[in-house]
Amino acid sequence: MCRVAIERSSSILTAQLMLGRRPWLPKIVADRSVTRADFAALIDRTDSWLARVERLLKPRLIKQRA
């Protein structure tokens, strides 16, 4: 159930960005901020892990029968 909610909310945010609109976020989320240094540290800590996950989830071409 939670996974579906995350996928739907991600799709809604993506659609809003594609339409050139500022995405709506709940006030509790929109009012928060992260310093540049904290964000950079987060990226440094998760970069290698995310690269491995992306390799596993990378779409693969399905060979079609001729």
Side-chain angles (χ1 to χ4, degrees):
M1 179 72 97
C2 181
R3 183 181 196 176
V4 172
I6 291 171
E7 290 174 2
R8 286 184 183 157
S9 62
S10 175
S11 297
I12 292 169
L13 288 173
T14 301
Q16 289 174 353
L17 290 170
M18 287 174 51
L19 294 171
R21 297 183 180 167
R22 185 173 180 200
W24 175 87
L25 295 170
K27 185 170 176 48
I28 194 167
V29 175
D31 288 346
R32 293 179 179 238
S33 66
V34 178
T35 65
R36 186 178 297 250
D38 288 345
F39 186 72
L42 175 69
I43 297 301
D44 287 342
R45 286 194 308 263
T46 60
D47 188 46
S48 63
W49 181 81
L50 287 174
R52 281 183 262 149
V53 170
E54 285 180 351
R55 277 195 303 273
L56 290 173
L57 299 178
K58 181 179 177 183
R60 292 167 178 83
L61 293 175
I62 299 173
K63 292 183 180 182
Q64 300 288 331
R65 293 183 182 175

